[in-house]
Amino acid sequence: MHHHKTTPDSPIGIFDSGVGGLTVVRAIQAILPAERIIYFGDTARVPYGSKSQVTIRKYAQDDTAILMRYHPKMIIVACNTVSALALDIVRKTSGSIPVIGVLEAGAELAVSMSKGKRIGVIGTQATVCSNAYACAINELDPDIEVHSKACPLFVPLAEEGFTDHPAARLIAEEYLREFDGRHIDTLVLGCTHYPILRGMIEKTIDPGIRIIDSAEAVARRAKELLKDSGMLNESTATATPHLLVSDLPQKFIMLYRLFMGAEMPDVELIDV
Amino acid sequence: MHHHKTTPDSPIGIFDSGVGGLTVVRAIQAILPAERIIYFGDTARVPYGSKSQVTIRKYAQDDTAILMRYHPKMIIVACNTVSALALDIVRKTSGSIPVIGVLEAGAELAVSMSKGKRIGVIGTQATVCSNAYACAINELDPDIEVHSKACPLFVPLAEEGFTDHPAARLIAEEYLREFDGRHIDTLVLGCTHYPILRGMIEKTIDPGIRIIDSAEAVARRAKELLKDSGMLNESTATATPHLLVSDLPQKFIMLYRLFMGAEMPDVELIDV
């Protein structure tokens, strides 16, 4: 299918259902500033989290095919929903290049961090219902107890910029009360929007609980993988991400600023 | 294009981007229990409110074409975003049958109710940015002053069932503070989800302000129109709505119950 030869200079392809995956772009830029990034945000069909598995799998295939046009050396699935329900489709569509998902990366890092073997996971309804974090964690260590909680209002709160609003804190308290008495020592932010709310989440939970940001986890994993395969981009220049979106609402510009802490570069509109 | 003859027994076609339009179905059932209703909720592509105008117009055309397969005697656009940005496309696609939108119906009722000629409108970002309520109101009465406020968190709060949660009240207070000192006497709920939060909104605003539910307004308008054209269904049986959705997430069943106060009937899955 795809016999294009990839080189260290080839881009890293990243996709998400919308803007959330920009936290992954940011995490990659922080530790791999020379890497060229192609980011596709499926803003016309966001959110995936509330859709059925059949629909999510079809979208995952479309998204991968769009990135493959740019001959990436690696694909990062920045969408927890797709990581949970459709990673096999992404692998099938992308041929022989490596594919990593935020979900396994987050699970792996959480397992390596949890001394007490009790991990909490928060995410969208679909991610939590799929039970995929618990599966991924228990595949690595069957003795770990996993407690999950869906937090459907966190994405709209993040997008509204209510990152430290009293109402957001009340909602966080209500959601995170789930972990009272569970004695977790590690909490996975199982949705790429949640790093935006990290400060507020930290204030709400027991200070002894370590927070795992799956965007950071996947960036670390990508670095290791590129290093091991001799595919790190050794350029000393800093690359600007190439942005693709399936729809460009006004809001995207504001959200880009909120997620990336920078002004939005040019963006290309893609038909899905 | 569509030369199928409609009769009083023909159904009323209603569409919305998702579940919100069910408040319109409910309002129609309350005053026209014999009418057969075909409801299409575009649950695969919800929400429309955050998408661009080009995308919204394309979706409006698709949605209308889906309803036209059932040869309706009238189409009700239960989506404020489509009413604001694409009613002409719906009219073009549906040929000669009458089309009414929640937006004009809500605007009309608000104008007839506001003695002080100062109206408030709340809705999604897209509805408010389009300025369509203000235009529709001022077309009927240019002397009315319209104040609008986007309340992006109201839809997720309604769908999470946080209809009287302290956090929801804090958010409502923050949004509705916009109307302090504006002396409005009428507030239009310019989004079909908002009737779910009506009790909470009533508690937050000045008790002298009259609330206009655009779902109720459009139901009244439909009744008048059918009566005037001799198309009222005179049957004494109570019809069950025929439901079409483009995706069927688990959540839909819960939301149907929340919006309709009844268990969900069979639903048909439609490809978009």
Side-chain angles (χ1 to χ4, degrees), chain A residues 44 51-52 165 174-175 247, chain B residues 44 51-52 160 165 174 247:
Chain A
K51 302 201 165 82
S52 70
H165 190 279
E174 173 141 343
Y175 284 149
D247 192 23
Chain B
K51 301 201 165 82
S52 70
E160 183 71 337
H165 191 280
E174 173 139 346
D247 192 22

Side-chain angles (χ1 to χ4, degrees), chain B residues 146-223:
Chain B
V146 182
H147 295 282
S148 306
K149 172 68 180 168
C151 305
L153 285 166
F154 276 3
V155 167
L157 284 170
E159 294 200 350
E160 183 71 337
F162 277 34
T163 52
D164 197 34
H165 191 280
R169 262 178 279 144
L170 279 179
I171 290 167
E173 277 164 25
E174 173 139 346
Y175 284 149
L176 301 174
R177 194 172 301 144
E178 178 76 18
F179 299 111
D180 285 359
R182 303 279 193 189
H183 308 292
I184 60 166
D185 64 358
T186 307
L187 178 67
V188 181
L189 307 185
C191 168
T192 46
H193 273 71
Y194 297 0
I196 304 294
L197 303 174
R198 183 176 182 150
M200 190 194 71
I201 292 167
E202 270 170 346
K203 273 185 236 163
T204 309
I205 59 167
D206 188 309
I209 298 172
R210 181 194 297 267
I211 290 182
I212 302 291
D213 173 344
S214 43
E216 278 175 24
V218 84
R220 282 201 211 188
R221 190 81 194 76
K223 187 173 180 179

Side-chain angles (χ1 to χ4, degrees), chain A residues 201-218:
Chain A
I201 293 167
E202 271 170 347
K203 274 185 235 165
T204 309
I205 59 167
D206 187 309
I209 298 173
R210 181 194 297 266
I211 290 182
I212 301 292
D213 172 344
S214 43
E216 277 175 26
V218 83

Side-chain angles (χ1 to χ4, degrees), chain A residues 207-229:
Chain A
I209 298 173
R210 181 194 297 266
I211 290 182
I212 301 292
D213 172 344
S214 43
E216 277 175 26
V218 83
R220 283 201 210 187
R221 189 83 194 74
K223 186 174 182 178
E224 284 168 12
L225 221 118
L226 292 174
K227 212 169 166 185
D228 292 349
S229 55

Side-chain angles (χ1 to χ4, degrees), chain A residues 101-271:
Chain A
V102 272
L103 194 148
E104 311 94 300
E108 223 175 78
L109 189 59
V111 168
S112 74
M113 292 295 186
S114 175
K115 300 281 166 272
K117 294 190 183 288
R118 298 175 84 96
I119 297 177
V121 176
I122 54 177
T124 64
Q125 196 75 52
T127 301
V128 166
C129 285
S130 73
N131 212 29
Y133 268 100
C135 287
I137 289 169
N138 286 141
E139 214 166 276
L140 296 166
D141 184 343
D143 295 336
I144 291 179
E145 218 177 288
V146 182
H147 295 284
S148 305
K149 173 69 180 168
C151 305
L153 285 166
F154 276 3
V155 167
L157 285 169
E159 294 201 350
E160 183 72 338
F162 278 33
T163 52
D164 197 34
H165 190 279
R169 264 178 277 144
L170 279 179
I171 290 167
E173 277 164 25
E174 173 141 343
Y175 284 149
L176 301 174
R177 195 172 299 146
E178 177 77 17
F179 300 111
D180 284 359
R182 303 280 193 187
H183 308 292
I184 60 165
D185 64 357
T186 307
L187 178 67
V188 181
L189 307 185
C191 169
T192 46
H193 272 72
Y194 296 1
I196 304 294
L197 303 173
R198 183 176 182 150
M200 191 195 68
I201 293 167
E202 271 170 347
K203 274 185 235 165
T204 309
I205 59 167
D206 187 309
I209 298 173
R210 181 194 297 266
I211 290 182
I212 301 292
D213 172 344
S214 43
E216 277 175 26
V218 83
R220 283 201 210 187
R221 189 83 194 74
K223 186 174 182 178
E224 284 168 12
L225 221 118
L226 292 174
K227 212 169 166 185
D228 292 349
S229 55
M231 291 292 267
L232 272 178
N233 193 322
E234 309 283 4
S235 159
T236 52
T238 301
T240 303
H242 185 112
L243 289 185
L244 315 171
V245 290
S246 49
D247 192 23
L248 184 55
Q250 269 303 310
K251 201 172 127 192
F252 190 79
I253 299 162
M254 184 276 280
L255 288 173
Y256 189 90
R257 214 179 287 133
L258 179 69
F259 277 70
M260 297 293 286
E263 289 304 308
M264 191 176 74
D266 285 347
V267 29
E268 196 178 322
L269 202 58
I270 296 279
D271 251 338

